[in-house]
Amino acid sequence: MTEIRLIGAGGEYMDSAVLVEWHVRPGDAVAKGQLVATVETAKAATEVEAPVGGTVAELLAAVGDEVAVGAAIARLAGGNGAMEPASPRGPGLPRRLPAGFASPLARRLARDAGIDLSALRGSGPHGRITRRDVLSAAPRAPEPRPEPEPRPEPEHGRSGGYRRAMAAQMARTLQIPMFSVSVDCDGSALLAERRRIKAVGGIATVNDLIVFRVARLLARHPDLNAHWAEDRSVPQERVNVGVAMATEAGLVVPVLRDADRLSLAETAAGLRRLRERAEAQGLAAAEVSGATLTVTNLGGFGVADFVPIVNPPQVAILAVAAFRPTAVFDGARLESRPVARLTMSADHRAVDGAGVARFLDALRADLEAFSVVA
């Protein structure tokens, strides 16, 4: 008898995951490497595969259960690794998910729209059907329904499990002696540069421009590009910027790796790709791990000011508020300019207020004189 155990593939501080879905039942024959379950951590959905071939003898956890890392979730009979694959694919072919396999959100949308998932071709990882695939196949109604549609019921195990995992991660921040420093930034040059890029057919959001500048600057501030490990701060060789994104399933922080080496176009393209994968709930564990600093931007919601929470083992996080028309004196003249508040929270064990202030002052100067060439 072979046990299928949950391994720690969800990034830093993963100690448990919520079982979202079983893809097998007792009595099913499975091949080595076949998808048997989907679990969800605070950061991403992760697939669990059979370590050997065999027959499913028993499922040890139910959908919605929180499972500790290392715990067994199923048992396989005859699991000696010698069983032939259950599907006709050769061992060298890329693994594809079963036809009609979809994310929970995609399944709910398909059910509501009466769409047969087996008829769709998935664009997600390994052929997974995503929300976008379902929406593309949905027929357009000729007229909107006069009565409001009822709110869909949350899927069993996903919303609550995701929140529990996120809550556990955030609870760890209570052990961090955090402090925050804020500066106001004139966004006139930044917004003008974005308009110029758009005018010549380029694609870049305000957040793309800010992440681009943060990454370049972070390479010159190793005290902030660091992880706290036990009793000391460890500067990181690579600049990996985490970017907080709100999705229908909740908050997720995908990581733009080696961000200081990317051009603005590469930064914008990388963040678009990560957002698409985040919205499709298709981020791999490696795409949500290893951030050395996080940027969170609530400017799109019109937020004037907010204080972010450091996500360990990182030692700092930057919050960007909305650019709002603000009266500013330019010499003797009073002008209206777009001004946003930038707030950085940091771990006082790793960095002091002066270090954070120097970074924010340099970032403000970069943004107020923004140029892609500079």
Side-chain angles (χ1 to χ4, degrees):
M1 194 78 70
T2 300
E3 291 183 335
I4 300 176
R5 294 182 177 274
L6 180 64
I7 60 174
E12 301 99 339
Y13 289 95
M14 173 183 169
D15 51 20
S16 66
V18 175
L19 180 62
V20 173
E21 184 176 14
W22 279 111
H23 304 291
V24 295
R25 293 177 295 181
D28 287 353
V30 297
K32 179 180 178 180
Q34 181 176 333
L35 175 67
V36 296
T38 301
V39 299
E40 189 175 69
T41 71
K43 294 183 174 182
T46 300
E47 298 170 351
V48 180
E49 300 176 347
V52 297
T55 301
V56 179
E58 184 181 5
L59 303 181
L60 303 178
V63 170
D65 286 355
E66 186 166 359
V67 182
V69 168
I73 61 172
R75 292 193 178 98
L76 297 179
N80 56 14
M83 181 177 177
E84 291 296 319
S87 69
R89 299 188 304 271
L93 295 179
R95 179 172 63 83
R96 296 282 298 177
L97 297 176
F101 181 78
S103 69
L105 178 59
R107 288 199 308 275
R108 189 181 71 216
L109 293 174
R111 182 175 63 245
D112 294 343
I115 295 174
D116 181 5
L117 287 173
S118 64
L120 298 185
R121 183 178 179 85
S123 62
H126 307 297
R128 181 174 181 160
I129 297 171
T130 67
R131 176 180 66 92
R132 181 170 298 180
D133 298 326
V134 175
L135 293 178
S136 297
R140 296 186 178 276
E143 299 246 347
R145 299 178 66 176
E147 70 277 0
E149 295 184 5
R151 296 179 62 184
E153 292 295 324
E155 296 196 36
H156 181 61
R158 171 160 290 272
S159 179
Y162 188 96
R163 288 299 177 187
R164 286 200 303 274
M166 182 60 71
Q169 169 70 353
M170 290 298 99
R172 295 185 178 95
T173 66
L174 295 176
Q175 304 171 16
I176 299 175
M178 275 188 290
F179 70 98
S180 300
V181 178
S182 299
V183 297
D184 290 331
C185 176
D186 183 343
S188 300
L190 178 70
L191 300 182
E193 181 66 16
R194 181 172 181 262
R195 289 192 295 269
R196 186 196 67 77
I197 293 171
K198 185 176 180 181
V200 298
I203 302 175
T205 67
V206 170
N207 205 46
D208 295 339
L209 302 180
I210 293 173
V211 171
F212 172 69
R213 274 296 173 219
V214 167
R216 297 288 182 94
L217 187 60
L218 197 57
R220 304 197 297 268
H221 290 261
D223 54 333
L224 295 174
N225 192 60
H227 284 173
W228 183 262
E230 296 182 357
D231 59 351
R232 62 193 179 96
S233 180
V234 181
Q236 302 297 296
E237 294 183 0
R238 302 171 66 181
V239 175
N240 299 330
V241 179
V243 181
M245 297 180 181
T247 71
E248 294 186 28
L251 174 68
V252 66
V253 186
V255 180
L256 190 66
R257 298 190 179 279
D258 297 315
D260 59 320
R261 302 179 184 180
L262 303 179
S263 66
L264 176 58
E266 291 169 334
T267 298
L271 291 178
R272 283 197 303 274
R273 179 184 61 81
L274 289 172
R275 173 161 287 284
E276 289 171 358
R277 291 176 61 78
E279 290 177 345
Q281 299 175 21
L283 288 167
E287 293 175 304
V288 291
S289 303
T292 54
L293 182 135
T294 294
V295 175
T296 175
N297 189 335
L298 293 180
F301 297 97
V303 173
D305 187 14
F306 68 108
V307 177
I309 299 174
V310 174
N311 187 21
Q314 300 165 47
V315 300
I317 180 172
L318 175 70
V320 181
F323 285 95
R324 298 155 58 92
T326 305
V328 176
F329 274 105
D330 182 9
R333 294 183 303 171
L334 184 63
E335 297 181 354
S336 176
R337 295 184 181 176
V339 174
R341 177 150 293 182
L342 309 178
T343 299
M344 175 166 278
S345 294
D347 185 338
H348 221 320
R349 296 171 301 180
V351 63
D352 56 25
V356 172
R358 282 191 291 269
F359 178 87
L360 287 176
D361 186 55
L363 178 61
R364 174 173 55 188
D366 278 358
L367 296 179
E368 290 186 343
F370 194 95
S371 169
V372 173
V373 177

